[in-house]
């Protein structure tokens, strides 16, 4: 009788094991993001009544800044496909003190992100042949703006730019687009000429 109970117990265990092994196993999947199709890099010249020209991506549009405090020659480069903008603010320099104030403002705007930033890297912009100098700030982390820059000739012209996504900042989801637009920002900076 005892051997019969042991045999039934073994049979029951094997049956339960077989039933559960045939069922699909569930394991949680990591959050996924949509695949992003990037357009081919292509640029066109942008010129207006403002005292600068530069190359912009063919897949972006120029729009005037519509904010309440917008000044002439404030404009946005709108990347509709990526829901992102590069805000550009042009300010004519009115002397050495004004120039120093503008440079300090750019630094202040960039370092406002230190609360959320994991790092802020600065890269010097130095194109003496075209009288274009400045700084580019790369701000790592879940910040409102990951790239900011300013360019100037140090005497007459000052142009500041800041990239913003119209999304909640999540670096892991925007990183591919950020890298893609970063190449466009490099092209803009290296193609700026003063009129």
């Amino acid at each position: 009788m005892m051997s019969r109970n042991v045999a039934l117990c073994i049979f029951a265990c094997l049956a339960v094991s077989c039933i559960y092994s045939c069922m699909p196993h569930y394991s949680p999947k990591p959050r996924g993001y949509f695949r992003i199709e990037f357009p081919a890099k292509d640029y066109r010249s942008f010129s207006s009544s403002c005292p600068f020209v530069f190359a912009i991506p063919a897949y972006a549009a120029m729009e005037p800044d519509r904010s309440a405090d917008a000044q002439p020659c404030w404009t946005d480069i709108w990347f509709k496909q990526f829901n992102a903008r590069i805000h550009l603010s042009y300010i004519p320099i009115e002397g050495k003190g004004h120039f120093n104030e503008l440079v300090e403002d750019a630094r202040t705007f960039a370092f406002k992100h230190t609360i959320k930033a994991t790092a802020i890297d600065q890269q010097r912009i130095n194109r003496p042949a075209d009288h274009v100098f400045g700084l580019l700030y790369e701000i790592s982390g879940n910040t409102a703006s990951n790239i900011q820059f300013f360019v100037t000739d140090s005497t007459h012209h000052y142009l500041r730019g800041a990239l913003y996504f119209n999304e909640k900042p999540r670096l892991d989801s925007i990183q591919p687009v950020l890298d893609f637009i970063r190449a466009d920002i490099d092209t803009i900076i290296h193609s700026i000429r003063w009129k």
Side-chain angles (χ1 to χ4, degrees):
M1 183 85 171
M2 178 86 139
S3 65
R4 187 170 184 239
N5 286 343
V6 171
L8 281 175
C9 195
I10 291 173
F11 177 75
C13 288
L14 288 174
V16 169
S17 174
C18 182
I19 290 170
Y20 281 109
S21 68
C22 295
M23 295 177 80
H25 293 286
Y26 174 78
S27 61
K29 307 283 190 259
R31 171 175 247 151
Y33 297 100
F34 294 106
R35 180 182 170 152
I36 301 168
E37 296 291 331
F38 292 108
K41 292 286 186 189
D42 187 25
Y43 298 92
R44 67 183 193 278
S45 181
F46 170 76
S47 183
S48 66
S49 60
C50 299
F52 54 82
V53 296
F54 55 83
I56 66 164
Y59 40 85
M62 296 299 291
E63 293 184 352
D65 186 333
R66 292 185 176 90
S67 62
D69 60 343
Q71 297 179 17
C73 297
W74 285 22
T75 188
D76 292 342
I77 303 174
W78 169 229
F79 296 87
K80 182 178 181 180
Q81 179 180 358
F82 307 123
N83 201 17
R85 292 181 184 275
I86 300 173
H87 295 290
L88 297 174
S89 306
Y90 174 80
I91 300 172
I93 297 173
E94 300 170 357
K96 180 114 173 107
H98 186 231
F99 170 74
N100 291 337
E101 182 182 311
L102 292 171
V103 171
E104 182 58 27
D105 284 350
R107 190 190 74 72
T108 301
F109 284 132
F111 280 87
K112 271 186 180 180
H113 298 282
T114 44
I115 294 170
K116 296 261 185 178
T118 55
I120 299 178
D121 294 325
Q122 300 177 54
Q123 295 177 8
R124 180 167 278 195
I125 300 164
N126 189 19
R127 295 180 27 231
D130 298 312
H131 304 286
V132 176
F133 311 95
L135 282 174
L136 178 123
Y137 299 94
E138 278 194 272
I139 306 164
S140 302
N142 292 326
T143 62
S145 176
N146 295 97
I147 300 175
Q148 297 187 19
F149 66 91
F150 75 88
V151 289
T152 180
D153 68 350
S154 303
T155 54
H156 302 292
H157 307 290
Y158 174 90
L159 180 67
R160 183 179 172 278
L163 172 65
Y164 291 95
F165 289 91
N166 297 326
E167 304 287 336
K168 183 178 179 181
R170 277 190 229 112
L171 189 60
D172 58 340
S173 63
I174 64 165
Q175 189 66 57
V177 177
L178 182 62
D179 293 341
F180 184 81
I181 294 178
R182 168 61 203 272
D184 295 332
I185 290 172
D186 286 343
T187 299
I188 291 166
I189 289 171
H190 288 95
S191 64
I192 288 176
R193 304 284 184 278
W194 308 116
K195 290 183 187 177

